[in-house]
Structures are given as structure tokens and as C-alpha cells.
């Protein structure tokens, strides 16, 4: 049995960090696969991430439906998470958000979002853009059923991040800490690339070899990774919830 | 009889949210049509929105003049509200503000402001630009009488938002919650469009069908709508004033 | 005799507002002409504006030298103030600051800073750019004597604001409230113009008639003017220092 | 013997200022050469700068290895500091950080970062761009050994700042106060230059004579220099740690 208390606390921390770092506002959500049952995942009920506490976390199946007798209102777009967990067994945590500075890259088609800064490397060398209109025509742009979620997951493929046209992004990580970090640095990478384009000339993107080298060195509980998680949690006012696994 | 206490509290919340989200500073205002008398509306006396309490709310007629024995100084531009309420019986709430990031779209004429992100859809597909100089020549740019207000309302027509050249915007909503939300996401949509233009290439705007689909699904007290209102109110420090009607 | 206590409090408020609104950081300063002696002015000793209290205010002559037995270190650039007060008898208050968003307009020569938004009108239709190198060659860019101050004042002429190349701006107002307001809205006007240029097409500047109309309607203690002063003071944490003259 | 307590407090202040001014987030670090042993330097253990206290400071040699029985985890990139202290005997303090707004200048090759504002003058007239890939091929972009550190120090040469492609910058100063100030104003100078380029036309950079004039006038404990240090320390919540040497 896993320590569920600690996982609930981590998920609360993740919610608060994403709000404080302005990756989410009232909308956007983060989930983690259930440690004891890979066919379930944990996510908040329909509530702004900045207000989420452990009591607000619900357990859903890979069809996006609640497990047990859950009656509270759920996020309309929980199918983003369900479909990615279904398609990608190695994925442990998912974020869906509308972070403002990635939006232009899903709207304009002349510049693809790619890593230009080392902290953006975990985004990976391919960031596909999913347009819900391609297969579903005129919608409210929200991913509100498994069919739409699976279409998004298919577009994401084996990548870490997909942009969603006129809407936001979905990110998949090997750990909760990784996906939160990726979500915080994704907009920063987007801003750096936008401004580099404004300065003009040749853009020096990270090479595939650099992206691979950084990826190989990644560990969710290394001192370097923990440093950011600890910093962001304290900045978000939930430093007291931190618990670090023994190395 | 409506619960006026609850409406006054909602209007205080709206003022504080608009200030915290930097839609207004010392200037800009929000109003709501009187629930028991469609020929009256409620708005703060001349005071910065961030300082408004229930005691600061005054009742005005559709001519922009105070009802009863009101002696306090009123907003010079209350005629923006009066004229829109007069022209649009279905409108329940109005915001006028100078949010910085929409200003460029009223100053430069090469790019029209249109929805590019899903949260910007309520702006609608047409955002006319009203130039007070067209019919009133050289003024201080403020809407200080009914004639100017009616000219603005005519330009707004059946749309939700009009830009005011070199000045700001006026937004009209079916509910207070809707018009506040529209006012918060309008500058975000403007920033996303400006940056998408900087990235270059084809811009993928929301289609008319997408705008319509989102509009059909809107409800002021849905869980999704409430989520943002609750979040913004807490962020603005007035979470204790929240009251949600029974579903 | 004027109420000097109230003037000292106003100057403290002005310092704190300029810091909170990010017009100044550790550098930049605001002064007011002495109400009883037009050949003296009041300004803080060399201290970051956000830390200024009434005890830090010193009295200087129009030569920029201290009156009486003042031993504390003074701002190196107090000559900006001295020279403008000397040249412009009708000026009551001066700000010198390095507000970031006006800097590009003193560095690049293709776009002149002019009012494009109504709150920017008090800047006036001419904003000259003063380059200290024109008459003083290679300096540290600071205005450290009366000769340099007078050269700047000459470039300012009868205008309200001069940009200083690679350095900042100097603003002169009819009242402390006016010059603070001008200093807060100057960077906003600069941002609106920069972004309008990015959107492209024709830029609709305020007309001379509009600038004049707004100027005619200005009064430092009107309800509208006071509203911003009161708001900014509260936001800066010095609302308790506010004192409003009887109308 | 130097007052080590006071130096530890200054280093804590420097860490907190860099965090509050958003030069660093969880990553980035600042060091000071040991006052009694030029072959040692002081830096925090691996911890986010905003969380650093005096107890977190460790002493390292110019090979980047800990002195004595230090067992705590160290910054991976401490070799940036070691190699610069080794190569530049006159350097007393070093910052390495990823400040967002300098990144574009290390990514795009059409615009070189040079001083355009007076507060940016200490950057110096040459800001070389170091690309780790030139001599080390595909890495994780981090400076994790002395060989890489020395290559960076060689590129830095006698300059004050080197950009690191896709990563950040390294800055070297004659005093801790100077290098912190340089690190705060470096991104501001970068933003001013980026926006000046957007306005178009000829860019007026600081002349070599202006850079030299400012440099000659610099003193780490002058009233002007102290003013910023005192302001930033108070803003960062560590004003109580300030101690100013007698003049």
C-alpha cells in the first residue's frame, strides 16, 4: 500500500503551485495516477486549483467516471486526463491548462514551439498542435467526452506536451513533480522563443542531443528537482505540506 | 422582492474583482440593472472600485440621474451604463474600463479584435470601435451625457463589447458574473492575438460556430461559471461576501 | 502660512505611490515647491522613495543647495528639480524617474512618444528628448550640476515632460497630484503606443483639440482627480496620511 | 580577520534580493570570495536562493570542492563560480542565473546585448555569448566541472557579463553589491533594447566614454549604491540583516 496521505498532499501542492505560478487560474487541472491501481487516477472536484484541499480530491476511472459513490461536480474536461492515462501506461501525472503565453503558438501557424532554453527541454523536440475542429467541427472547444480525449491523446502520441488550438495545452509526465515543472517552464520557453524571434536572425534551438542528455539525467527526487518543488511550494504557502521520500 | 442585500454584495465583489484583475484602476466602473425596476440601475458613487463597499452603491435612472435624494458625487461617465441599459432591455450588467491591453486595438487600425481563445468567445464575433470624435469632435474623450452614451450604445448595437478609441471599452452582459468574466478575459484575448500576430503566419480565430456553441452552453450559475467567480472573489479578499443561489 | 505638515504628508504619499506603481525603484525622486517661499523646494534626502517618511524631507534652494544647516546626503540629481523650478514659475511639483517602459522612446529614434490614450493627455502634444551628450559629451548621464539642469530645463521648454536619452524622464506639473498622475500614466501611454505600432496600420493619436479639452477640465482636487490619489495612496499603504482640502 | 558574520548576512541578503527581483527562481546562485583566503569562496548549499539562511552557506575551494568536512549537497554548477574566481583575481563576487529577459539575446544572433540605459552601464561594452556546444558538444547545458567552467571564464575574459546560450548568464563584480545590482539591471537593459528595436530606427547605445565615466564613479558603499541595496533588502524582507561599513 502506498502512502495515500502523502500523495493527496502532493496533489494539493501541485494545484497551489500551478495557481501561484499562473499556469492555471480558475480553470485548468492536474491529476496523478492512483499508485495502487493504474486504472484509476486522482484529481480535484470542479474547483479552482488555488482553493483545492485534500478533501476535494476525487478518484476517477480511465473512462473519466467517478469511482464509488462520488456525487460532487467534476471537471468537464477530466477526459483529457483519462484518455492520456489510458493511452500511455508510463505516464504518472497530467496537467491541462490555459497558460496565457503558450496560446499564441496554437493560434499562429508560422512558428512551432520547441525548446530554446535548458529548463524547457522536458517539453521534448516535438510539440504537436491539436485542433478539436479537425475531427469534431464547431464545438465549445472543451474536451468533454472520451472520444475527444482519445483524439487529443492520439495527437499527443509519445510526446510530452500537445498544444490545443485556441485553448491551452496538455502535458504528461513520469512524475507529478516533473509535469508541474514542465508546466511552469513551458510558458517561459514560449516567451523566450517569441522574443528571440523579435530580435531576429538565426534561432539556436536545443539540439536533439541536448534534449536527450537532459532527459537521461532527470530524476524526480534528485536534489536539483526537489529544490524547485520545495521553492514553489513555499512560495505558494503550502511548504508545510511537503514530504520528501527517503533517498 | 429580490434580495437586494445579496445584489449589493455581488456588486461589491464585482468591483473588487475588476480591481484585483487589473481591468480597472482608480477609473472604470460596473453596474447592474435593478432587479425590481428595469428602469433603474445600481452603481458605485465616484470612488475607486477597489475601495467600494455596499454603502457606496447608488441607484440611478436610465437618464443617468440619481433616484431620490442622492447627494454624493457620481461617476462622470455613468451615461455609458444608462444608455446601454436603455437601448438593450436584455442586458443586466455593464462594465466600462480602460484595461491596458485592449487599448492598442482601439488606436491602430490594421488588426481587429476578435476571439482567438475559448475564454474570449463571449466577446462575440464583432467588436466595433467607437470614436467619440466622429460625432462630437474634440472632447475630453469621456462619455458625459446621454447623447454621447446613446451614440456609443448605437455603435455597440447588439454586440457584447465595443472598444472606445484612445479610452477603453464598454461591455454588456446577461448577468453580472458574465460581464465581469468577459472583462477579465477580454485583455487576455487581446494579448494572445497581439502575440500571435508577432509570431506570424495565418491566425486561427474562433469560428462563428464555435462562438455560438460556447454561447449556447453559458449559464451564469453553472458550476463552471461559479468556479471563476468564487476564485476571483477569494483572490480579491472578498470571499466572505459570496452567496450562491440555490440551483 | 501654509499647513506644512499636510504638505510633508502629501510628499510622503507621492514617494510611496511612485514606488508602488513602479515609476521609481531605489532611484528617482519627487519634489514640491515650498508653499511659502517660491525660491525653495522640498524633496527627500538621498533615500529610496519607498522608505521616505516626513523626517527625510529636506528644503533646498533653486541652486539645488540645502537651506540652513542640513548635513544629510542629498540626491545627486536634485538639479533636475532646481532648474525646472527656476525656469518655470508656474510649476509646483517635479518628478524625475527611470520608469522602464518610457526608456525605449529615448533610445530609438523612429517613433516619438505622444498621447494615444486619454489618461496620457497631460503629457502634452510635444515630448522632447534631451540627450546630455549633445552639450556635455561623455558623462555618467546624471544631471549633477545647475548647468546640466538648465540645459534639460531649456529642452523641456514649456512642455510637461522631457525624455532623457538612455536614462529616464523629467515631468513638471501644476500640482503634486498632477505630476504623480502624469508619471503613472506616462509609461502606460508608452506601452499602448508601442503595442499599437506592433499591430500596425494608422495610429490614431489624441488630437491637439482633445489634449486641450482635457487640460481645460483639469483640477487637482476635483472628485475625479482625488479618486486616483486616494486609490493609489491606499494601495501604497499610506491611506492614513491622506488629507483633502475643503472644496 | 574579517567580520564573517556580516559577510554571511550580506550573502543571505544577496540571495533574497535576487529571488525577489526575479533574477533567480529555484535555480541560480550568488557567491563571494572569502575575505581572508582568496583561494576560497562562500556560496549556499543546493537550495533555492529565497530559502537561504546563514546556516546554508558553505565554503569551497577554487576547484569547486568543499573545504573541510562539508557533506551537504552542493550546486551542480558551482564550477561557474570557481573558474571565474580562479581566472580573475580582482573579482570578489559572482552571480549565475537564468533571468528570463536576457535569454532571447543568447538564442537569436541578430542583436547583441549592449548597454542602452545608464543603469545597464556596468554590464560593459562587450557581452560575449558562450555556447557550451562549441567545445563540449551535446550536454545538459550545465557547467558541471572545472573544464567547462574554465571554458566559460575564458569566453568571459575581462568582461563583466557573459551570456550562456539557451541557459542564462554569469556576472563578475568587484563587490557583492555591484554584482547583485548588475544582475538586477541586466534584464531591464535587455527589455529596453528589445523594445527599442521594436520601435525601430537608429538605436542610441551608451558610448564607450559614458560607460567608462560611470565605471570611474562607482563605489560599492557610496550613498547612491547603498540606496539600492537598502531598498532591495527591505523589499525582500531582510532589511533587519543590513549592516553598513563605516565610511
Amino acid at each position: 500500500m502506498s502512502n495515500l496521505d502523502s500523495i493527496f498532499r502532493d496533489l494539493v501542492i501541485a494545484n497551489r503551485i500551478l495557481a501561484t505560478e499562473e499556469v492555471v487560474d480558475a480553470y485548468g487541472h492536474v491529476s496523478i495516477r492512483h499508485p495502487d491501481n493504474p486504472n484509476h487516477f486522482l484529481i480535484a472536484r470542479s474547483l479552482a486549483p488555488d482553493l483545492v484541499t485534500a478533501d476535494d480530491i476525487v478518484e476517477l476511472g480511465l473512462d473519466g467516471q467517478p469511482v464509488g459513490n462520488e456525487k460532487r461536480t467534476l471537471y468537464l474536461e477530466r477526459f483529457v486526463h483519462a484518455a492520456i492515462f489510458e493511452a500511455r501506461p508510463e505516464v504518472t501525472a497530467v496537467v491541462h491548462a490555459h497558460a496565457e503565453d503558450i496560446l499564441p503558438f496554437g493560434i499562429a501557424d508560422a512558428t512551432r514551439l520547441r525548446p530554446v532554453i535548458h529548463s524547457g527541454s522536458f517539453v521534448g523536440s516535438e510539440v504537436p498542435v491539436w485542433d478539436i475542429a479537425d475531427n469534431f467541427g464547431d464545438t465549445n472547444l472543451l474536451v468533454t467526452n472520451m472520444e475527444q480525449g482519445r483524439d487529443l491523446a492520439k495527437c499527443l502520441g509519445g510526446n510530452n506536451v500537445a498544444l490545443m488550438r485556441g485553448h491551452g495545452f496538455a502535458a504528461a509526465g513520469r512524475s507529478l513533480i516533473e509535469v508541474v515543472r514542465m508546466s511552469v517552464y513551458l510558458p517561459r520557453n514560449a516567451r523566450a522563443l517569441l522574443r528571440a524571434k523579435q530580435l531576429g536572425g538565426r534561432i539556436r534551438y536545443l539540439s536533439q542531443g541536448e534534449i536527450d542528455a537532459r532527459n537521461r539525467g532527470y530524476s524526480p527526487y534528485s536534489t536539483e528537482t526537489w529544490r524547485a518543488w520545495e521553492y514553489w511550494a513555499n512560495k505558494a504557502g503550502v511548504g508545510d505540506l511537503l514530504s520528501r521520500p527517503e533517498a
Side-chain angles (χ1 to χ4, degrees), chain A:
Chain A
M1 274 293 282
S2 300
N3 183 342
L4 269 182
D5 270 5
S6 144
I7 284 163
F8 274 50
R9 282 199 303 271
D10 281 355
L11 196 51
V12 171
I13 292 172
N15 271 278
R16 302 299 184 88
I17 289 175
L18 292 172
T20 302
E21 300 302 318
E22 301 189 330
V23 177
V24 299
D25 55 2
Y27 302 102
H29 12 82
V30 52
S31 65
I32 188 166
R33 197 187 289 269
H34 196 293
D36 301 323
N37 181 348
N39 293 320
H40 287 181
F41 67 96
L42 303 167
I43 191 170
R45 67 176 178 95
S46 178
L47 187 68
D50 201 42
L51 303 176
V52 167
T53 64
D55 290 341
D56 298 307
I57 293 172
V58 299
E59 187 172 340
L60 308 184
L62 294 193
D63 56 356
Q65 299 310 328
V67 168
N69 199 28
E70 182 60 57
K71 298 288 186 214
R72 292 176 288 182
T73 309
L74 305 176
Y75 288 133
L76 287 180
E77 294 199 279
R78 59 195 183 273
F79 304 99
V80 171
H81 304 258
I84 293 174
F85 284 127
E86 181 189 62
R88 297 272 297 273
E90 86 287 9
V91 164
T92 291
V94 172
V95 166
H96 165 58
H98 312 147
E100 184 177 313
D101 291 326
I102 60 95
L103 296 171
F105 289 88
I107 295 168
D109 65 3
T111 307
R112 288 175 49 226
L113 185 56
R114 286 171 49 196
V116 284
I117 56 175
H118 79 306
S119 53
S121 71
F122 299 110
V123 167
S125 48
E126 279 291 324
V127 181
V129 179
W130 180 69
D131 189 342
I132 193 172
D134 288 345
N135 288 323
F136 301 95
D138 284 338
T139 66
N140 64 1
L141 280 91
L142 303 180
V143 176
T144 55
N145 59 49
M146 281 305 289
E147 194 185 354
Q148 293 171 337
R150 284 175 183 138
D151 194 59
L152 166 60
K154 187 176 161 196
C155 173
L156 175 64
N159 299 297
N160 298 336
V161 179
L163 299 187
M164 302 158 77
R165 189 266 306 168
H167 179 175
F169 73 88
R174 291 165 289 184
S175 76
L176 185 65
I177 290 185
E178 185 187 37
V179 82
V180 167
R181 179 195 174 110
M182 203 189 298
S183 301
V184 172
Y185 284 131
L186 180 67
R188 172 178 288 203
N189 188 86
R191 287 189 294 271
L193 177 52
L194 170 59
R195 287 174 191 149
K197 296 281 292 183
Q198 292 172 336
L199 289 177
R202 184 171 61 97
I203 303 293
R204 284 183 277 186
Y205 293 93
L206 261 60
S207 72
Q208 185 64 49
E210 287 173 332
I211 292 170
D212 293 344
R214 287 186 60 76
N215 202 41
R216 277 194 303 276
Y218 181 81
S219 156
Y221 291 107
S222 70
T223 302
E224 289 69 38
T225 307
W226 182 260
R227 204 199 307 166
W229 181 253
E230 181 187 32
Y231 166 65
W232 286 323
N234 276 285
K235 198 172 155 202
V238 287
D240 58 309
L241 299 185
L242 285 166
S243 57
R244 187 175 182 179
E246 298 302 317

